Amino acid sequence: MGRLVVVSNRVADPRKTASGGLAVALGQALQASGGLWFGWSGKVVEGGTPGEGDVHLQTAGPVQLATVDLSREDHDSYYLGYSNGVLWPVFHYRLDLADFDAGFIGGYRRVNQMFAHKLAAMLRPDDVIWVHDYHLIPLAAELRNMGCQQRMGFFLHIPLPPPLILAAVPEHEWLMRSLFAYDLVGFQCEADVAHFSRYVGTETSADILGEHEFRAFGKTLQVQAFPIGIDVDEFAALGRGRDAIDMYEQMRDEYSRRRLLLGVERMDYSKGLPQRIKAFRQLLQNYPENLGSATLIQIAAPSRESVDAYAALRHELESLCGSVNGDFGELDWMPVRYIHRSVARKRLPGLYRAACVALVTPLRDGMNLVAKEFIAAQDPEDPGVLVLSRFAGAAEQMRDALLVNPYDTTRTAETMQRALQMPLEERQRRHQALLQQVREQDVHWWRQRFLNALNAVSAS
Ligand code: GDG
């Protein structure tokens, strides 16, 4: 196998485990084969020229990191505008939040062209290129335009919506056609693959050659589900660290008379936060034995704050949490602890372990790694219960969680109550099955399956 080239919007130093599971997994793949990791540097150059940016090279062991700066205009149109203001909402079924009219597409194309141009100059003929996520859908098409013939794979970390939702994006045909420049396209779950198949069946003249093989625009494409996982061992090791243990003990002491429910995510409208607070309010209303006891800790780490929809969500959430606390709180008990800050990664396992119930209730999610991290962090002798949205990609794998429809407030509250009341034996049984699944289908399994499939297809 040739050198692995990973391309993603952001690049992380693979030697720093603090970067998180995905960075570690990709870093390990790169370290095994030697490789190059290419993406945006995270730096925005005020007054910089659109479509131009300096490349920075850094060596991290056998891995080369190549990052490119973005001009303010490119950042605002490619990253904030088209990626996060059009593709993210539409792919999460939120047409109401998409800004189609602002002309961001120009910046999206320009940055993909620029990345392709800079990357092409660094490529070797036998490189295997793995592109990640919605920011970079047209990258392979741009590379092919420049004559690159390497094997290229693409993995979409977010969901692919059904054809009629996707068709609302004015450039949907161009985007989907761009995917055919890859040799392999991976989605998180079977539902996404089914949406892809239906799209090409109804909106293009593609030939469906098999369950996973499509031919259109003179190109054959393999498409498969590759559910992403976590690095269970890395997370378990983090859980044995001083910071996680301190966090766990602090929580246990502080909440010794309470039952903790926990939500951890980036503040994002796909995560179902307002619906979750409303369901928690119903839990207190409908099951008054929880008054003075059930406490929801909701971590909502700041994210994409310069996109308007995120500011509106923040206000809604603050008001909902405030009203639950105002209506139900006592001098010695606040039902909701809402924290709009990030928690250090090394403390997270301790927080997960202290919770009786995790609420992972997105309205739509590609996979959702918090669900898997929660399971990995539990004490098998006395595990907490996972309440999981059926609309998270993870729900296809994690059948032993308590699955909910987050739009159904009453039933979600009922499920929270069931989770709080669940007998030890059932908790252990469910946790054991979930842990086995999270362990077997971990991030290394994901990476190897994708790269094996990519290496198995014949190059363009
Ligand atoms: C995208 C897709 C898909 C969260 N809050 C804090 C914090 N986190 C960490 C979690 C977890 C990660 O961020 C979130 O991963 P998710 O998978 O839950 O969600 P997205 O960020 O939306 O990720 C998603 C994923 O890509 C991978 O393909 O599963 O569907 O949307 O690791 O622990 N980490 C720290 N402090 C926080 O406050 N340190």
Side-chain angles (χ1 to χ4, degrees), residues 18-22 88 92 132-134 155-159 188 226-230 235 263-268 270-271 299-304 339-348 351-352 360 362 364-374 392-394 446:
S19 331
L22 179 61
W88 178 274
H92 288 89
H132 290 262
D133 232 358
Y134 57 103
F155 184 77
L156 186 68
H157 289 256
I158 65 176
Q188 295 273 25
F226 298 92
I228 196 168
I230 62 165
F235 208 71
V264 177
E265 41 259 303
R266 289 184 303 101
M267 166 86 82
D268 194 289
S270 64
K271 303 291 183 187
I299 312 287
S303 177
R304 303 175 196 165
I339 295 158
H340 181 52
R341 276 192 311 280
S342 177
V343 173
R345 182 167 169 79
K346 50 192 180 195
R347 302 179 77 192
L348 270 183
L351 190 56
Y352 288 141
V360 181
R364 192 74 188 109
D365 216 328
M367 176 54 56
N368 196 294
L369 297 180
V370 170
K372 297 185 175 185
E373 291 169 354
F374 176 75
W446 167 77

Side-chain angles (χ1 to χ4, degrees), residues 155-174:
F155 184 77
L156 186 68
H157 289 256
I158 65 176
L160 187 77
L164 278 181
I165 291 187
L166 190 56
V169 181
E171 301 80 20
H172 67 100
E173 283 166 7
W174 171 74

Side-chain angles (χ1 to χ4, degrees), residues 184-252:
L184 171 70
V185 168
F187 293 110
Q188 295 273 25
C189 63
E190 295 298 340
D192 303 317
V193 175
H195 292 157
F196 179 86
S197 178
R198 271 180 39 217
Y199 179 94
V200 295
T202 56
E203 302 277 335
T204 74
S205 53
D207 291 326
I208 302 182
L209 305 179
E211 203 185 340
H212 298 303
E213 201 171 40
F214 303 84
R215 183 156 185 88
F217 317 114
K219 186 78 181 39
T220 302
L221 174 65
Q222 303 284 330
V223 175
Q224 262 191 70
F226 298 92
I228 196 168
I230 62 165
D231 186 333
V232 178
D233 293 328
E234 182 251 353
F235 208 71
L238 216 55
R240 291 189 296 273
R242 194 66 256 164
D243 295 279
I245 292 171
D246 285 350
M247 180 87 218
Y248 171 74
E249 288 174 350
Q250 188 192 334
M251 287 290 131
R252 194 194 50 195

